[in-house]
Amino acid sequence: MPRINLILLSFVFFVCSLSAQNSTNQIQKEHQPIRIITNNWASQKVISHIVGNIYQQLGFEVSYLELPTEGQWFALKYNKADIQVEVWEGSMADKYYQLKEENSIIDAGSHNAKTREEWWFPSYVKAQCPNLPKWTALNECAALFSDENSNRGIYYAGPWEKPDRARIRALKLNFKLITLNSSDELWVKLTEAYTQKKPILLFNWTPNWVNAKYQGEFIEFPDYDIECETVPEWGVNKVFLYDCGNPKSAWLKKIASRSLAERNSCALNTLKNVNLNNSQFEEIAALVMIKGLTIEKAAKYWLSENQSLWRSWISKDCQ
């Protein structure tokens, strides 16, 4: 065989091999499981499984990745996870904006629900501290929220990204912060206190199932402003940041990895269509926290009761 033909044959073989390899890589990429992040509170877990069940009905493989909120950003940025169904402005805005600015994530739209995350107390405490919910009443009544060995109040926080210690310093609050490991531990503390009508101050949020079972109010700190986090001279404390509360009507978003956007328009656009309001979030969380269903059973129950809604979320790309 002439040498030129050998060279041509080798080139054709190389091109075919490269094409076959690219085809295989593309197939693997398209069939990569949709990896959904789950966090440690009820609504987020159930909605994650609701979305996962929808994807499975569309024929996709789904996996769930349990992550703390502070650990999820690395996974989304570096293609270790694909979807987060609850991104709260009050506790996740900084990281969201950072990764969005870097073009490392996809904003999949906001839910209709408006959120608030703040210090919270049961309504019966006002009988002993009538100036609540004003934040200035906290020092007046710090001893009510203390343990037996101190006049310093206790605030129970969750394991999420909040500037509570900075707020205590900036507003000169006579309180110490105790961080609990999960929302379940918060609700155990609340249930114990509520049963005994004992004063308690803890982290709470809305939408949340708690509002359906317990009466209470958020502490009214100075109104939130972005300069509260960036300009020390802003607000009542001219030296320290965070002398304000959290946003009172904040957004609640869904986000996706760039990897998902590149490989699966059906999954991404379906996520963009997922949309729940405050009462729907509370109903979903209550399935677990009040009715006692497991996460998986709560998701399947909700899907069976809301078929017309979730079917309307399915993108035309999937057909």
Side-chain angles (χ1 to χ4, degrees):
M1 181 179 293
R3 180 175 176 79
I4 187 66
N5 288 345
L6 283 172
I7 295 173
L8 179 60
L9 184 61
S10 298
F11 178 74
V12 170
F13 178 77
F14 171 76
V15 170
C16 289
S17 299
L18 186 61
S19 177
Q21 182 180 356
N22 288 341
S23 178
T24 299
N25 290 342
Q26 183 64 26
I27 290 171
Q28 290 174 343
K29 190 175 182 181
E30 289 177 352
H31 288 80
Q32 182 177 339
I34 299 172
R35 299 156 299 178
I36 302 176
I37 292 170
T38 60
N39 298 136
N40 53 355
W41 65 93
S43 65
Q44 200 282 341
K45 287 184 177 181
V46 177
I47 295 168
S48 294
H49 281 260
I50 287 170
V51 172
N53 272 270
I54 294 171
Y55 286 150
Q56 287 172 330
Q57 293 198 35
L58 292 171
F60 297 117
E61 185 180 347
V62 172
S63 63
Y64 298 96
L65 184 61
E66 179 78 27
L67 287 173
T69 55
E70 64 272 17
Q72 66 190 5
W73 308 105
F74 177 89
L76 287 160
K77 180 175 180 178
Y78 292 105
N79 191 29
K80 306 296 183 183
D82 294 310
I83 286 174
Q84 163 60 291
V85 299
E86 282 191 35
V87 177
W88 290 60
E89 180 179 359
S91 56
M92 304 186 201
D94 288 348
K95 286 291 187 181
Y96 163 80
Y97 285 124
Q98 178 186 332
L99 268 66
K100 189 70 171 62
E101 182 70 21
E102 296 173 0
N103 203 28
S104 297
I105 56 171
I106 299 295
D107 185 332
S110 299
H111 292 281
N112 282 340
K114 296 298 181 184
T115 68
R116 186 175 183 185
E117 303 171 77
E118 198 60 271
W119 297 28
W120 184 96
F121 64 94
S123 295
Y124 58 75
V125 181
K126 291 181 74 173
Q128 301 174 68
C129 187
N131 287 329
L132 288 174
K134 294 178 181 178
W135 72 271
T136 50
L138 290 173
N139 280 348
E140 297 172 12
C141 305
L144 284 176
F145 299 101
S146 68
D147 56 29
E148 295 179 356
N149 302 316
S150 173
N151 287 324
R152 191 180 183 191
I154 296 172
Y155 166 69
Y156 294 101
W160 305 294
E161 306 163 41
K162 306 297 294 182
D164 290 314
R165 285 189 173 84
R167 179 175 296 121
I168 288 172
R169 180 179 66 174
L171 294 177
K172 300 179 181 179
L173 300 175
N174 186 27
F175 277 77
K176 66 179 179 180
L177 182 148
I178 295 179
T179 301
L180 302 179
N181 294 320
S182 69
S183 61
D184 289 344
E185 291 187 19
L186 282 172
W187 312 140
V188 168
K189 288 286 186 184
L190 174 58
T191 300
E192 290 175 352
Y194 212 93
T195 300
Q196 303 171 32
K197 292 296 184 284
K198 180 181 176 181
I200 186 170
L201 190 63
L202 75 166
F203 179 73
N204 194 6
W205 61 88
T206 183
N208 191 8
W209 67 274
V210 169
N211 304 318
K213 188 171 182 179
Y214 300 110
Q215 292 184 336
E217 297 181 49
F218 290 113
I219 296 295
E220 297 297 341
F221 289 111
D223 288 344
Y224 174 81
D225 188 288
I226 187 61
E227 291 192 349
C228 173
E229 301 177 353
T230 57
V231 180
E233 294 79 14
W234 182 96
V236 297
N237 189 313
K238 306 304 179 184
V239 177
F240 295 120
L241 301 174
Y242 295 105
D243 49 346
C244 65
N246 295 313
K248 295 181 180 179
S249 184
W251 47 251
L252 181 56
K253 289 183 176 291
K254 305 148 292 175
I255 56 175
S257 66
R258 296 208 62 82
S259 170
L260 182 71
E262 292 167 0
R263 73 180 192 264
N264 201 317
S265 62
C266 164
L268 176 63
N269 290 328
T270 296
L271 179 65
K272 288 180 177 180
N273 292 335
V274 173
N275 190 2
L276 297 163
N277 59 32
N278 284 61
S279 62
Q280 289 166 327
F281 269 92
E282 291 174 2
E283 170 197 347
I284 286 168
L287 292 174
V288 174
M289 302 305 299
I290 296 179
K291 294 190 176 181
L293 299 182
T294 65
I295 299 298
E296 293 80 5
K297 287 183 178 179
K300 291 184 183 299
Y301 175 83
W302 190 90
L303 286 164
S304 69
E305 295 295 309
N306 296 273
Q307 293 192 41
S308 61
L309 175 58
W310 68 260
R311 290 186 188 281
S312 73
W313 294 342
I314 298 174
S315 171
K316 294 179 181 178
D317 302 58
C318 305
Q319 300 172 359

